Amino acid sequence: MSSMAPILSQRPQGANDAASPDARVVALRAVHRAASELRRGTPILLSGPEGTLVVAAAETVSARGLAELAAAARGPAVLLLAPVRAAAVLNRPVPQALGAAAIGTASEMGVVALRLPPGLLDPAALRSLADPTAERLLPEQPERTTTPPQALPAIALAKLARLLPALVVAPAAESAAARLDLLSVQAADVSAYPIEAPASLTRVAEARVPLEDAPEARIIAFRAADGGIEHLAILVDSTAPGPEGAVPGAPLVRVHSECFTGDLLGSLRCDCGPQLRGAIRRMAADPAGGVLVYLAQEGRGIGLVNKLRAYTLQDQGLDTLDANRALGYGADERNFWVAAEMLRAIGVKRVRLLTNNPDKLAGLAACGIEVEGREAHQFEGNGVNDGYLETKARRMGHLLT
């Protein structure tokens, strides 16, 4: 089994513990709005018990955004990066832990802070620092410095926004929010988001949608209270709740993360398209039918744009795992709480999981879904994706033999 188990974040102690449902919805929306502000290049304020940071995304921030950040700051700005990207920028290895006295616990968990000379406080230079596919050589090299408070939730927010996890941050002045009309979000709410958002999923639409290989299919759409992208449950043929609202037995279930290039375009770089269509065919042939949980978690949770960047790095010699890490992401950034909540909502408590990935078995079980067994779901390489499949087996523990 792979040592890279899916991240099953626990809600931070004290984060919204006594909050009403309405307060939790407001918190979710605030996190989603903050992620949207970062995507637009606008700074936000991230507050916690150790103070407030003004935060901007290195990938999107404009000259105006940097000016707003400077106006809100009460100290020098630093750049936050994942250790692998920081090592490339500094041209030397970066240990993940340098001692709490020197850098602090954020570094131990995977955040490195770099001091930014004035020449690098420029949108184009920051994009080069953030993006390993950029070719521009930097005129100045930043130096490592102390990691500020709220670094971990700041990086988590960038990932929620599907941006490169590279941020310009500075300690914020107390009057910054009112004076500059910047959006403020609580660090605890960002850290709680991976659990709170799936728990708020509701069914928003459903319809019978006959499919080529499953003429009796039905699609149910789920949306979280933050108003983000919808996830889908595709019920194939005879899968239906019993008289008490639960699906009888253990239907065949596939947890499938969307793949625009593979599912829609037939890309040969991965095996996602064959896995998607093959799963529907197998469910249609199974006496109990099945459920295909289609998650809006492109590229194992890094998003389509970053997946394309990862492809560029793969063309330069990295495998799929190292390409994700070079971008500052983990090998797998998906959240299987979403799948578990969707299965519970349609009455599925026990499953036969159609997968080659042991982490999915462990992930669903940790989220309260009873996994009765694994059904193998492998497809032969096509000459283009052979290395990709080999990496999944050798480095990620997928059961492809």
Side-chain angles (χ1 to χ4, degrees):
M1 178 179 288
S2 167
S3 61
M4 295 170 292
I7 298 172
L8 300 173
S9 304
Q10 305 241 344
R11 185 150 53 90
Q13 190 172 14
N16 285 328
D17 285 337
S20 67
D22 286 347
R24 290 184 175 179
V25 169
V26 170
L28 285 173
R29 290 176 180 170
V31 174
H32 197 255
R33 287 176 60 202
S36 297
E37 291 288 273
L38 291 182
R39 288 180 65 85
R40 283 193 286 266
T42 303
I44 60 99
L45 296 173
L46 185 64
S47 299
E50 297 176 286
T52 299
L53 288 180
V54 55
V55 178
E59 178 182 350
T60 59
V61 69
S62 63
R64 176 177 176 175
L66 286 174
E68 290 174 332
L69 185 142
R74 58 174 178 80
V78 300
L79 180 70
L80 300 183
L81 293 174
V84 172
R85 182 62 190 143
V89 169
L90 294 171
N91 292 314
R92 64 176 185 269
V94 174
Q96 294 226 13
L98 296 186
I103 298 297
T105 57
S107 173
E108 296 170 8
M109 296 295 292
V111 184
V112 174
L114 304 179
R115 184 178 292 108
L116 286 169
L120 295 184
L121 279 171
D122 166 79
L126 289 170
R127 281 192 291 274
S128 294
L129 285 164
D131 188 353
T133 66
E135 297 180 355
R136 180 175 181 267
L137 296 177
L138 298 174
E140 301 178 70
Q141 295 297 333
E143 297 178 1
R144 197 168 179 187
T145 187
T146 303
T147 305
Q150 323 319 344
L152 283 172
I155 289 290
L157 186 60
K159 290 182 176 182
L160 287 173
R162 300 293 185 263
L163 296 170
L164 292 167
L167 297 164
V168 186
V169 307
E174 292 184 5
S175 62
R179 184 161 43 86
L180 297 171
D181 195 28
L182 297 180
L183 180 68
S184 182
V185 66
Q186 293 296 314
D189 292 338
V190 174
S191 299
Y193 186 91
I195 302 298
E196 298 286 4
S200 74
L201 285 171
T202 57
R203 295 162 73 145
V204 293
E206 55 186 280
R208 177 176 170 269
V209 182
L211 303 178
E212 182 177 4
D213 295 312
E216 297 302 320
R218 187 170 189 83
I219 299 180
I220 303 174
F222 290 82
R223 182 186 294 150
D226 65 1
I229 299 173
E230 292 80 10
H231 307 277
L232 305 175
I234 304 171
L235 279 61
V236 176
D237 291 332
S238 58
T239 301
E244 297 182 357
V247 172
L252 201 56
V253 169
R254 165 81 183 159
V255 177
H256 187 94
S257 297
E258 69 180 357
C259 177
F260 173 79
T261 50
D263 296 345
L264 274 68
L265 303 182
S267 168
L268 299 178
R269 297 190 74 129
C270 62
D271 57 346
C272 298
Q275 284 189 326
L276 173 65
R277 290 178 283 277
I280 292 173
R281 285 193 296 270
R282 285 186 60 175
M283 291 173 186
D286 192 284
V291 181
L292 193 143
V293 180
Y294 196 79
L295 302 180
Q297 297 183 357
E298 178 90 38
R300 297 197 298 273
I302 70 174
L304 177 59
V305 171
N306 287 321
K307 186 176 78 171
L308 296 178
R309 288 172 169 143
Y311 283 168
T312 297
L313 294 172
Q314 290 171 35
D315 289 340
Q316 295 170 3
L318 298 184
D319 64 25
T320 182
L321 189 154
D322 287 336
N324 276 25
R325 288 178 170 170
L327 291 169
Y329 281 88
D332 195 334
E333 295 278 349
R334 288 175 292 184
N335 179 353
F336 293 121
W337 280 107
V338 178
E341 292 292 345
M342 291 169 65
L343 289 170
R344 277 190 282 269
I346 59 176
V348 175
K349 299 178 180 179
R350 298 156 54 212
V351 303
R352 291 175 291 131
L353 199 61
L354 194 59
T355 186
N356 304 317
N357 183 356
D359 285 347
K360 284 186 182 178
L361 300 170
L364 281 187
C367 295
I369 300 296
E370 183 179 344
V371 181
E372 287 201 354
R374 181 186 78 88
E375 300 279 344
H377 194 52
Q378 63 190 79
F379 295 83
E380 293 296 324
N382 56 34
V384 175
N385 67 5
D386 294 0
Y388 167 80
L389 296 176
E390 191 273 336
T391 296
K392 289 211 294 186
R394 180 175 56 86
R395 300 196 63 193
M396 304 178 74
H398 288 212
L399 305 172
L400 299 177
T401 57

